[in-house]
């Protein structure tokens, strides 16, 4: 079952299952290292603040509204 | 510099994602031999430099940074056109050895462009400390191009880079795209092969057939235009039918690129120690809290501003004491029998301009150093994060808080500190907002006038002024956002929080000093010209104000300026306040007490005398004073800010638009304030 990033707790390790949005958004998010199938960990998820994830050796901040476009599924560690 | 560029034996372009250390390498290679300009027809900054090695001269071009080679922004388009137009002999692609997987994306995106390239893996020292080792030779064999692992901050590492550059220019090597093509074929399958077969018998120039195919699948507009030129109508139609069904092509090709990168890394990167689980450090844990992050950001920015003043102080002191030499120069010029007008021009006007400019450039030096330090440290990225929710509604980055804060000290510094903002539109909008913030010099005049005229209600006046400033910032964002940051351009905040880096002192100091000289020279030229014009208009030092062109100008416009609550003295004070708002008290004393100093120095030397306060309060009414406070606050901050804005945004057109917008706003606010004032008093 897929979830939105904002529904996840800090420390959860998840796999990205879908990304939608404008051409520009897709290009940007891909080039910073978030693609379908990539594994990320939630580092911070606080009200109103951008969501922080860690993936491909990189700490990435995603605006809360933009994060709606990214769906993930939880992975068992 | 030009002499060394005349006989260039090779042009090298630098290409990388942000935070990889490209400017450190650029500075390390070129030292002080740098030139900053504009890309033709674009508002993107062009940095060029040169260096010599073995008696040969090389030209280095810093390609504007972005995360990929897609054509989504002016920066990316400039970069791609530059490579495609065959203007350089070689591209030097950089990646960060500590974040190899992500930062190699640029290499993957470049793969398929048939132009000589080398790969530089930067920050190898840090990567080694993390227990990472890279088999450079096998990586080089796989890619087919030279690879070097180094630390751009260390001078010793450059010898090898120089020799690799020399060799590669002699015998160019092209990055092989066969392994990436295989990934595309196996992952994208049919569609990839179909699209690529369209180019079967066609010369695709610098782009490989696979590269064009992947960009077409990404629906890259520039590439779609490009292939329309090389294909006939049938082929274009066939191509369109293939491409129509594709959704989210970026995601698919992106996945392929990262698979390719993973294959590269798996065999060539050796982890000596087990990788620790990544954790947020204590500072980042605090910076990501909604309130704490903002609090710490503001606190650091305030401390930064204070530090800037302390660092700039020695130079500012020198600048401010230069006008003291005016008397001395007077007497010398007197003795050698120079004409009076010349003495007045030189000893009063130009000496004042010189001192003022040095003082301001000193402050900018402090600001550039402190905030350059915070940026290099990686701290500004955290500030951006903390303020994202406040600024993203305006289409801005959280970093925009910084120029706004700096502007409380100095608007020119505010404009220069917009350098850390990534896109042109956001930069320009931030500067447009920052102009509304009154600088220290401005607050001084506002405070004085309020206390003279409004006594115990001063706080209320300043409070209402503050509210109007906030309103004006909101309004300005509303007006300018659609033009500067159209929605299609607005990707929201997706950014990297880079690891904290130790600042590279050498390159930071070089940058600070070159900036200082640059600021000083540009501002001095502008201030001198304006000073001479005002000097001419103010009677060339002859004394009585009523004989001057300035007076006639003010008097002639009085019927109009009175509508906005400004009689000729106040109008002239407002008009000349663009020379520098600190200067306004000097202008007041010239206009109201007919002492003949209209130049900046007078204020700094004489301060405010009681006779000035009496003279002003006698001849100006309360509503007029209120109107002036508003007209003054929202006027163009100063000409040096105009000049620094133009330097930062590379657009005369937008600098003018913002200037006119502020003059008009200032008059409107003055009009409203005047009429409200008339109702009250």
């Amino acid at each position: 079952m897929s979830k939105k990033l904002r529904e996840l707790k800090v420390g959860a390790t998840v796999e990205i299952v879908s990304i939608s949005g404008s051409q520009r958004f897709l290009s940007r998010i891909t080039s910073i290292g978030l693609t379908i199938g990539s594994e990320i960990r939630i580092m911070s998820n606080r009200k109103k603040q951008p969501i922080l994830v860690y993936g491909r050796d990189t700490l990435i901040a995603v605006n809360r509204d933009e994060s709606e476009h990214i769906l993930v599924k939880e992975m068992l560690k | 510099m030009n002499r060394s560029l005349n006989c260039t034996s090779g042009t090298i372009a630098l290409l990388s994602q942000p935070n990889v250390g490209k400017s450190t390498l650029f500075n390390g290679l070129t030292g002080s031999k740098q030139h900053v300009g504009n890309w033709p027809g674009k508002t993107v900054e062009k940095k060029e430099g040169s260096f010599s090695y073995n008696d040969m001269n090389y030209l280095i071009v810093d390609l504007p940074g972005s995360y990929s080679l897609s054509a989504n922004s002016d920066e990316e388009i400039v970069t791609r056109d530059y490579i495609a137009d065959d203007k350089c002999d070689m591209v030097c692609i950089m990646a960060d050895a500590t974040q190899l997987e992500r930062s190699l994306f640029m290499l993957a995106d470049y793969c398929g462009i048939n132009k000589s390239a080398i790969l530089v893996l930067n920050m190898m020292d840090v990567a080694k400390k993390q227990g990472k080792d890279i088999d450079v030779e096998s990586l080089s064999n796989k890619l087919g191009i030279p690879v070097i692992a180094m630390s751009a901050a260390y001078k010793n590492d450059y010898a090898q880079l120089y020799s690799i550059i020399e060799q590669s220019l002699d015998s160019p090597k092209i990055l092989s795209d066969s392994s990436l093509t295989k990934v595309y074929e196996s992952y994208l399958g049919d569609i990839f092969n179909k699209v690529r077969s369209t180019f079967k018998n066609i010369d695709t120039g610098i782009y490989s057939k696979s590269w064009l195919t992947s960009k077409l699948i990404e629906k890259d507009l520039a590439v779609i235009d490009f292939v329309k030129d090389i294909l006939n109508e049938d082929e274009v139609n066939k191509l369109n039918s293939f491409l129509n069904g594709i959704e989210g092509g970026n995601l698919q090709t992106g996945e392929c690129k990262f698979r390719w990168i993973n294959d590269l890394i798996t065999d060539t990167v050796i982890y000596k120690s087990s990788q620790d689980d990544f954790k947020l450090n204590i500072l980042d844990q605090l910076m990501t809290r909604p309130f704490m992050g903002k609090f710490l950001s503001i606190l650091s920015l305030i401390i930064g501003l204070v530090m800037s003043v302390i660092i700039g102080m020695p130079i500012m002191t020198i600048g401010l004491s230069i006008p003291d030499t005016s008397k001395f120069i007077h007497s010398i010029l007197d003795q050698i029998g120079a004409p009076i007008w010349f003495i007045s021009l030189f000893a009063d006007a130009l000496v004042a301009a010189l001192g003022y400019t040095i003082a301001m450039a000193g402050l900018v030096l402090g600001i550039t150093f402190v905030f350059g330090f915070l940026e290099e440290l990686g701290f500004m990225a955290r500030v951006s994060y903390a303020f994202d929710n406040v600024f993203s509604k305006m289409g801005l980055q959280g970093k925009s808080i910084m120029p706004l804060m700096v502007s409380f000290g100095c608007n020119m510094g505010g404009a220069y500190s917009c350098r850390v903002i990534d896109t042109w539109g956001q930069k320009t909008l931030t500067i447009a907002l920052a102009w509304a913030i009154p600088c220290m010099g401005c607050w001084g005049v506002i405070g004085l006038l309020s206390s003279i005229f409004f006594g115990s209600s001063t706080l209320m006046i300043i409070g209402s002024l503050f509210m109007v400033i906030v309103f004006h910032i909101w309004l300005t964002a509303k007006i300018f956002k659609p033009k500067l940051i159209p929605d299609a351009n607005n990707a929201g905040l997706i950014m990297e929080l880079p690891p904290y880096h130790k600042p590279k002192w050498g390159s930071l100091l070089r940058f600070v000093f070159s900036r200082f000289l640059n600021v000083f020279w540009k501002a001095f030229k502008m201030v001198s010209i304006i000073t001479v014009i005002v000097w001419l208009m103010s009677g060339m030092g002859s004394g009585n104000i009523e004989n001057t062109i300035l007076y006639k100008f003010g008097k002639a416009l009085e019927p109009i300026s009175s509508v906005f609550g400004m009689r000729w003295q106040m109008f002239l004070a407002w008009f000349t306040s663009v020379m520098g708002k600190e200067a306004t008290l000097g202008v007041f004393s010239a206009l109201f007490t007919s002492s003949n100093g209209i130049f900046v120095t007078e204020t700094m030397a004489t301060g405010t005398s009681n006779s000035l306060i009496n003279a002003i309060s006698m001849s100006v009414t309360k509503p007029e004073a209120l109107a002036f406070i508003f007209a003054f606050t929202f006027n163009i901050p100063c000409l040096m800010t105009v000049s620094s804005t133009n330097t930062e945004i590379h657009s005369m057109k937008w600098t003018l638009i913002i200037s006119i917008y502020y003059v008009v706003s200032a008059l409107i606010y003055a009009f409203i304030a005047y009429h409200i004032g008339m109702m009250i008093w």
Side-chain angles (χ1 to χ4, degrees):
Chain A
M1 208 194 64
S2 60
K3 284 185 170 173
K4 288 175 179 173
L5 277 182
R6 70 159 75 198
E7 297 165 355
L8 293 159
K9 286 209 173 71
V10 170
T13 305
V14 294
E15 183 189 325
I16 297 178
V17 294
S18 100
I19 305 176
S20 54
S22 70
Q23 159 103 351
R24 198 185 158 77
F25 175 74
L26 294 182
S27 157
R28 185 75 197 263
I29 201 121
T30 306
S31 59
I32 206 165
L34 302 183
T35 53
I36 291 168
S38 60
E39 188 185 316
I40 55 176
R41 193 145 51 90
I42 311 294
M43 302 307 298
S44 172
N45 180 5
R46 289 174 187 273
K47 249 183 222 165
K48 291 188 177 171
Q49 293 298 91
I51 295 176
L52 262 190
V53 302
Y54 187 77
R56 297 194 207 273
D57 296 338
T58 307
L59 187 57
I60 301 162
V62 184
N63 178 283
R64 258 193 128 64
D65 295 336
E66 303 288 344
S67 78
E68 296 284 305
H69 298 295
I70 303 169
L71 295 179
V72 296
K73 70 167 189 237
E74 283 192 76
M75 294 171 76
L76 296 171
K77 254 220 145 170
Chain B
M1 188 192 79
N2 282 329
R3 189 157 34 101
S4 63
L5 294 185
N6 278 342
C7 47
T8 300
S9 44
T11 300
I12 303 142
L14 293 183
L15 177 69
S16 84
Q17 288 202 335
N19 303 316
V20 169
K22 186 158 56 92
S23 41
T24 311
L25 188 79
F26 181 77
N27 289 332
L29 281 171
T30 60
S32 54
K33 290 181 183 163
Q34 298 187 4
H35 172 78
V36 179
N38 253 21
W39 289 91
K42 289 276 189 324
T43 51
V44 178
E45 185 172 280
K46 181 177 192 180
K47 266 167 79 185
E48 282 178 316
S50 66
F51 70 91
S52 342
Y53 174 70
N54 282 351
D55 296 328
M56 301 292 243
N57 287 309
Y58 300 92
L59 182 66
I60 296 267
V61 178
D62 187 358
L63 294 176
S66 186
Y67 283 95
S68 71
L69 283 177
S70 44
N72 286 322
S73 67
D74 271 1
E75 283 83 0
E76 289 167 331
I77 291 167
V78 161
T79 296
R80 213 156 84 181
D81 287 352
Y82 183 83
I83 297 170
D85 290 349
D86 224 10
K87 285 180 187 145
C88 58
D89 303 300
M90 186 180 100
V91 179
C92 171
I93 302 162
M94 287 181 78
D96 178 351
T98 64
Q99 300 179 316
L100 214 44
E101 198 179 338
R102 195 216 71 224
S103 66
L104 278 175
F105 189 82
M106 192 54 102
L107 181 81
D109 220 20
Y110 183 86
C111 186
I113 297 180
N114 293 318
K115 160 154 301 266
S116 167
I118 63 170
L119 175 65
V120 173
L121 304 175
N122 190 22
M123 303 199 216
M124 201 52 217
D125 53 331
V126 185
K128 280 212 171 106
K129 273 186 208 141
Q130 293 173 345
K132 208 186 261 181
D133 211 354
I134 298 169
D135 184 349
V136 171
E137 213 180 300
S138 107
L139 190 58
S140 171
N141 287 337
K142 280 181 175 224
L143 296 171
I145 57 169
V147 178
I148 167 175
M150 65 180 286
S151 303
Y154 298 126
K155 276 277 162 220
N156 293 343
D157 287 11
Y158 281 80
Q160 202 197 345
L161 178 62
Y162 287 137
S163 75
I164 285 186
I165 288 175
E166 195 179 33
Q167 285 165 26
S168 304
L169 285 168
D170 274 349
S171 52
K173 297 280 190 307
I174 283 166
L175 177 57
S176 148
D177 73 342
S178 61
S179 54
L180 181 57
T181 304
K182 274 188 198 126
V183 180
Y184 284 141
E185 279 170 344
S186 71
Y187 183 75
L188 302 172
D190 220 21
I191 184 75
F192 182 81
N193 292 327
K194 272 188 194 158
V195 174
R196 196 171 50 154
S197 66
T198 331
F199 304 112
K200 206 185 258 166
N201 301 313
I202 288 161
D203 176 17
T204 51
I206 192 169
Y207 302 124
S208 79
K209 297 177 171 66
S210 294
W211 192 88
L212 285 179
T213 305
S214 68
K215 286 291 165 198
L216 285 172
I217 290 173
E218 289 167 20
K219 303 223 166 120
D220 183 297
L221 294 175
V223 169
I224 291 174
D225 280 346
F226 174 82
V227 300
K228 274 182 190 153
D229 284 344
I230 58 169
L231 297 180
N232 63 37
E233 209 173 312
D234 278 355
E235 289 162 333
V236 171
N237 288 337
K238 212 167 85 184
L239 198 58
N240 281 336
S241 71
F242 295 146
L243 293 174
N244 269 340
I246 299 175
E247 287 287 327
N250 267 313
L251 292 173
Q252 299 179 31
T253 58
E255 228 177 306
C256 293
K257 286 169 196 162
F258 277 112
R259 281 175 187 222
W260 178 75
I261 292 170
N262 270 327
D263 288 346
L264 278 181
I265 294 180
T266 323
D267 303 337
T268 52
V269 179
I270 306 124
Y271 295 98
K272 284 182 181 152
S273 56
S274 66
Q275 295 293 291
D276 288 339
D277 247 7
F278 177 82
K279 284 193 190 77
L280 287 187
N281 63 31
I282 181 79
L283 182 57
D284 280 347
Q285 284 178 26
L286 293 172
M287 288 299 288
T288 50
R289 289 167 190 257
F291 175 76
M292 196 44 127
K294 290 186 184 68
F295 174 75
L296 287 178
S297 300
I298 296 274
L299 187 69
S300 323
L301 294 177
I302 291 173
I303 294 173
L305 209 51
V306 173
M307 289 299 296
S308 307
V309 174
I310 293 173
I311 292 170
M313 196 55 90
I315 296 176
M316 289 168 74
T317 314
I318 294 172
L320 292 179
S321 59
I322 283 180
D324 295 343
T325 62
S326 162
K327 276 211 177 77
F328 178 66
I329 297 173
H330 253 286
S331 64
I332 290 184
L333 290 176
D334 250 347
Q335 274 168 19
I336 59 170
I340 293 174
W341 67 265
F342 180 79
I343 298 178
S344 153
L345 172 66
F346 192 79
D348 292 338
L350 288 179
V351 167
L354 178 71
Y356 182 58
T357 321
I358 291 179
M360 284 296 121
L363 182 58
V364 170
L365 175 133
I367 289 171
T368 314
F369 178 78
V370 171
F371 292 95
F373 170 83
L374 288 178
E375 170 75 5
E376 276 215 10
L377 200 64
F379 187 74
M380 289 318 300
R382 274 73 186 178
V383 173
S384 203
Y385 176 91
F387 279 93
D388 177 65
N389 61 353
V390 180
F391 284 94
S392 63
K393 301 264 182 307
M394 292 192 246
L396 294 177
Q397 295 179 303
K399 278 183 199 174
S400 299
I401 187 73
M402 198 230 317
L404 295 184
M405 294 286 302
V406 172
S407 290
F408 277 107
C410 166
N411 292 96
M412 180 170 57
Y416 276 125
S417 60
C418 280
R419 167 153 304 248
V420 300
I421 292 167
D422 300 323
T423 73
W424 178 83
Q426 291 174 325
K427 197 187 270 188
T428 308
L429 181 55
T430 305
I431 292 184
L433 302 184
W435 277 31
I437 309 278
C439 68
M440 283 191 298
C442 191
W443 281 119
V445 177
I446 295 170
L448 180 78
L449 284 180
S450 313
S451 63
I452 294 176
F453 286 93
F454 307 108
S456 57
S457 0
T458 296
L459 272 183
M460 230 180 70
I461 299 294
I462 293 195
S464 60
L465 185 66
F466 218 89
M467 269 153 55
V468 177
I469 290 169
V470 172
F471 165 77
H472 184 75
I473 288 178
W474 173 83
L475 183 73
T476 308
K478 204 97 186 134
I479 294 173
F480 284 100
K481 189 192 157 193
K483 277 273 174 225
L484 292 172
I485 313 167
D487 268 349
N489 227 356
N490 192 356
L493 171 112
I494 306 162
M495 61 167 226
E496 184 201 352
L497 297 190
Y500 289 100
H501 288 304
K502 252 189 280 166
K504 315 288 186 297
W505 297 107
S507 81
L508 180 60
L509 287 175
R510 259 198 303 278
F511 170 65
V512 168
F513 281 106
S514 69
R515 164 57 61 88
F516 171 75
L517 293 176
N518 182 303
V519 166
F520 168 74
W521 185 232
K522 277 203 173 120
F524 182 63
K525 276 191 287 191
M526 186 158 206
V527 171
S528 299
I529 292 169
I530 300 295
T531 303
V532 170
I533 293 173
V534 173
W535 176 81
L536 286 172
M537 289 172 74
S538 66
M540 304 187 282
S542 64
N544 190 358
I545 184 89
E546 299 197 359
N547 296 331
T548 65
I549 301 176
L550 209 54
Y551 171 79
K552 286 174 189 128
F553 172 70
K555 268 291 189 194
L557 285 182
E558 196 169 47
I560 303 167
S561 68
S562 296
V563 176
F564 303 99
M566 290 185 280
R567 279 181 286 148
W568 71 272
Q569 291 101 327
M570 285 314 223
F571 175 72
L572 286 183
W574 177 73
F575 178 74
T576 51
S577 70
V578 295
M579 286 200 305
K581 287 186 172 169
E582 294 85 345
T584 301
L585 291 181
V587 177
F588 277 153
S589 72
L591 295 170
F592 288 103
T593 64
S594 49
S595 79
N596 64 355
I598 198 160
F599 294 106
V600 189
T601 49
E602 302 292 328
T603 19
M604 295 173 172
T606 57
T608 3
S609 60
N610 280 330
S611 61
L612 172 61
I613 293 177
N614 285 336
I616 293 185
S617 54
M618 298 269 280
S619 48
V620 176
T621 68
K622 276 186 172 186
E624 283 173 343
L626 189 69
F628 181 79
I629 287 175
F630 276 88
F632 178 73
T633 304
F634 291 97
N635 196 7
I636 292 168
C638 65
L639 288 170
M640 294 194 323
T641 304
V642 176
S643 140
S644 56
T645 297
N646 190 36
T647 309
E648 275 311 308
I649 68 176
H650 306 285
S651 163
M652 195 72 98
K653 178 185 144 199
W654 275 97
T655 308
L656 266 176
I657 290 176
I658 297 171
S659 303
I660 293 168
Y661 169 77
Y662 269 85
V663 171
V664 172
S665 318
L667 290 174
I668 293 174
Y669 289 126
F671 178 84
I672 297 170
Y674 181 54
H675 287 270
I676 290 177
M678 299 262 270
M679 282 188 273
I680 303 174
W681 296 293

